[in-house]
Each structure stands twice: as structure tokens, then as C-alpha cells.
Amino acid sequence: MKRSSFINSMVLNEPPPDISSYLRALWYDAKGNWDKAHHIVQDMDDKNAAWIHAYLHRKEGDISNADYWYHRAAKNRHTESLENEWKELVTAFASPD
């Protein structure tokens, strides 16, 4: 899914059916459903899911847990705003416009 289409899907009540699990987790997070987003990525065992997992724990305020997941993702903890990290994640997992 293209980035702009994904951003525009935020007005929907449900995520688009044809998006990746990564984007689905980010969609639920943007809609205020941290638990659903976390549930999607918590059992995925790859660096991309670990990055989203790290972001979610940083958002939660659990920095030590976030740092564990950033390490698993081979990423440094973001020091920018959560909004900027969310945008970076979307850019990483959505197709360019």
C-alpha cells in the first residue's frame, strides 16, 4: 500500500484488509489502540516487528523494555518525537507515493 493511501485510511473504522502486519500494527497504534498494535507484533520474530515493538514500548514509557526491542531490531533508540518515529516506520513499510 502506498504511504498516502495508508495515511488516508486513518479515517476508516477498520484497517484496509490488504496491508502487512507491520502497517496493521501502526494503523491500530495511530487509532489509539496500543494493545491491539502490541498484540500484532509481540509474537513476530523479525527485526521489523522488533522495531515497531520498541516504538510501542517507548510510547508506553517503558524505556528499558523499548531498549531491549531496539537492540533486537539493530536500531538505536529514537530521540525524536514519537510522531516522527511513527512516520519513519510508515515510510519503511509502505510503498512510496
Side-chain angles (χ1 to χ4, degrees), residues 39-89:
H39 179 74
I40 291 168
V41 297
Q42 72 181 351
D43 293 324
M44 296 172 69
D45 191 25
D46 64 65
K47 288 182 179 183
N48 292 331
W51 183 16
I52 297 170
H53 205 156
Y55 156 80
L56 289 170
H57 282 294
R58 184 168 85 97
K59 185 174 189 175
E60 178 190 35
D62 187 350
I63 300 305
S64 63
N65 200 358
D67 285 344
Y68 167 80
W69 288 103
Y70 281 117
H71 177 73
R72 295 268 316 258
K75 301 269 185 191
N76 291 321
R77 181 188 337 141
H78 276 250
T79 56
E80 296 181 27
S81 70
L82 290 165
E83 180 181 332
N84 283 346
E85 186 173 9
W86 186 88
K87 288 176 183 176
E88 185 177 336
L89 285 159

Side-chain angles (χ1 to χ4, degrees), residues 1 12 14-20 24:
M1 169 171 273
L12 302 174
E14 295 292 326
D18 58 344
I19 60 175
S20 68
R24 182 168 278 105

Side-chain angles (χ1 to χ4, degrees), residues 9-16 27-28 31:
S9 77
M10 294 299 138
V11 299
L12 302 174
N13 291 326
E14 295 292 326
W27 189 93
Y28 279 111
K31 296 292 274 187

